[in-house]
Amino acid sequence: MSPLAPAAAQSAAPLAATSRDYKLAVTKVVGGLVHPWSLAFLPDGAMLVTERPGRLRLIENGKLDPEPVAGLPAVFAQGQGGLLDLALDPDFAKTGLVYFSYAEPRQGGAGTTLARGQLVREGGKARLENVEVIFRQEPALPGGIQFGSRFAIASNGTLYVTLGDRRQADLAQKLDNDVGKVIRIDRDGSIPKSNPFVGRDGARPEIWAYGFRNGQGAAIDPATGQLWTVDHGAKGGDEINHPEAGKNYGWPVITYGVDYSGAKIGIGTSAPGMEQPVYYWDPSIAPSGLAIYDGALFPKWKGDLLVGALKGQILVRLDRENGRIVDEERMMKGLIGRIRDVRVGPDGAIWLLTDEENGGLYRVIPAKS
């Protein structure tokens, strides 16, 4: 039995939901989380959750530790800013390293920052030690929106990080900054020599791909090693992409959406030298969180993409065949609230976080017939 199963067993009776392939049991494992943003599974069955106001929380045996994990840096917790994504080092059992991203207060405003620290749990308390910043988005900008900030760790240990356009859309098309980009760095923050813009005058060497608005989902396909991302659009134009080295994904020159005022953005939906999304939504579902299903509990969904939605309050499954998205299924509409993050657990269950003042952690498994 998975070490995570007992935590769910202590929770309230599950809610019922349906999909085309399965009846679903949706169990609230923990409540009382303040705008939770990301989730990571520890080897012993405990979990870490980030709360956007700047707290890292530990969940053990289905219970939320009342004391936040100590040792985090100052966080710019305004608007959409705060403590954001989270992942364990691939060698966590040896290093104890936890990676996390956050909106960092700086001169000129704030910017998305990636840091790491060693998780220490002793005497009933948890803390991060030896915290060090390994990347800072440049430049820092005023305002509290569109920080992006999902990251995924590839099998070779490099990190892909999504960086929002901070409502400075034109910067997403320029290579002298980190705004509206996907970057790639090594785990210590150094730049891989194989990055596409290394050595190009005027270009930041960490850039992997550019022309994005507000990437709020990132995952590595466990079967192919390919990076997939979710870009949160304006009014329409949410996108699924698999960013490739050096390519331009169009924002704000091309998009399938319009501004919130209804005004046109850019020149249309296509342009030479700019990539088309693999999939897009119009009208918007306000997507956040992305997982590629590779567990055993839902065998019919192997390789499918799972996307959370804030506006729609739904879990979206994108049916993938031969690398193409061939169908979409929307599940759990309004059942638990605004879904901020989606993860596949070691037990094969689907785990969800709801972005609410009183947010929750939920576990989704096939219902017993």
Side-chain angles (χ1 to χ4, degrees):
M1 179 178 290
S2 162
L4 293 173
Q10 297 175 13
S11 304
L15 303 169
T18 59
S19 72
R20 294 172 193 165
D21 300 315
Y22 303 96
K23 293 181 179 179
L24 307 176
V26 183
T27 301
K28 187 175 185 177
V29 176
V30 164
L33 295 164
V34 182
H35 296 289
W37 222 86
S38 185
L39 169 70
F41 304 95
L42 295 171
D44 65 356
M47 289 168 273
L48 292 171
V49 174
T50 57
E51 291 179 310
R52 202 172 70 229
R55 293 180 294 271
L56 180 61
R57 309 300 298 276
L58 178 67
I59 298 171
E60 294 185 277
N61 299 317
K63 295 181 180 180
L64 179 65
D65 189 328
E67 293 294 326
V69 177
L72 269 74
V75 168
F76 179 84
Q78 297 183 29
Q80 298 170 6
L83 184 60
L84 302 171
D85 209 9
L86 177 71
L88 303 187
D89 188 88
D91 300 318
F92 178 82
K94 295 180 180 179
T95 67
L97 287 173
V98 176
Y99 294 80
F100 58 96
S101 64
Y102 61 105
E104 181 186 34
R106 298 188 225 147
Q107 185 174 358
T112 302
T113 292
L114 189 66
R116 65 181 184 178
Q118 291 176 310
L119 180 67
V120 177
R121 295 159 67 191
E122 58 185 13
K125 296 185 180 295
R127 66 184 184 275
L128 290 182
E129 292 186 346
N130 303 314
V131 172
E132 60 174 337
V133 169
I134 61 171
F135 171 78
R136 285 185 169 97
Q137 179 189 38
E138 295 293 348
L141 293 167
I145 60 174
Q146 291 166 211
F147 290 91
S149 196
R150 292 289 182 186
F151 59 91
I153 304 178
S155 59
N156 65 0
T158 55
L159 283 79
Y160 295 94
V161 187
T162 69
L163 300 169
D165 75 354
R166 303 298 322 285
R167 208 66 188 270
Q168 302 284 333
D170 290 346
L171 294 180
Q173 285 295 312
K174 299 177 181 179
L175 297 175
D176 62 353
N177 66 81
D178 297 312
V179 176
K181 309 298 193 297
V182 172
I183 64 151
R184 185 176 73 147
I185 58 175
D186 287 319
R187 282 182 282 175
D188 62 358
S190 59
I191 308 299
K193 294 180 180 179
S194 57
N195 273 10
F197 298 108
V198 169
R200 180 182 293 192
D201 287 345
R204 297 192 67 89
E206 63 269 20
I207 295 173
W208 178 257
Y210 63 107
F212 300 97
R213 182 178 183 270
N214 193 18
Q216 291 198 9
I220 301 293
D221 187 334
T224 66
Q226 188 176 49
L227 172 68
W228 289 74
T229 62
V230 170
D231 203 23
H232 187 121
K235 189 176 181 180
D238 303 327
E239 295 184 358
I240 297 285
N241 292 292
H242 50 79
E244 297 179 351
K247 292 189 177 180
N248 181 354
Y249 289 81
W251 177 260
V253 179
I254 61 172
T255 177
Y256 284 87
V258 296
D259 193 30
Y260 294 111
S261 67
K264 182 180 179 180
I265 300 173
I267 63 172
T269 59
S270 64
M274 295 184 177
E275 303 300 310
Q276 286 291 301
V278 176
Y279 193 82
Y280 70 91
W281 288 274
D282 185 17
S284 174
I285 63 168
S288 182
L290 170 67
I292 298 174
Y293 191 78
D294 63 344
L297 292 182
F298 299 94
K300 294 180 181 179
W301 294 355
K302 195 86 169 180
D304 289 353
L305 276 61
L306 300 171
V307 181
L310 302 167
K311 178 182 175 182
Q313 298 188 15
I314 52 177
L315 176 65
V316 176
R317 180 178 65 89
L318 298 176
D319 186 6
R320 205 166 43 133
E321 295 181 8
N322 300 318
R324 295 178 58 250
I325 295 171
V326 297
D327 198 10
E328 174 185 338
E329 180 179 18
R330 301 185 178 194
M331 301 172 283
M332 298 171 45
K333 182 174 177 61
L335 184 67
I336 61 173
R338 292 160 43 90
I339 297 176
R340 171 61 74 182
D341 199 15
V342 184
R343 302 282 169 164
V344 178
D347 58 354
I350 298 165
W351 293 78
L352 308 172
L353 288 172
T354 56
D355 186 2
E356 311 282 355
E357 187 69 26
N358 182 14
L361 170 65
Y362 294 81
R363 179 175 182 255
V364 183
I365 62 173
K368 296 179 180 178
S369 57

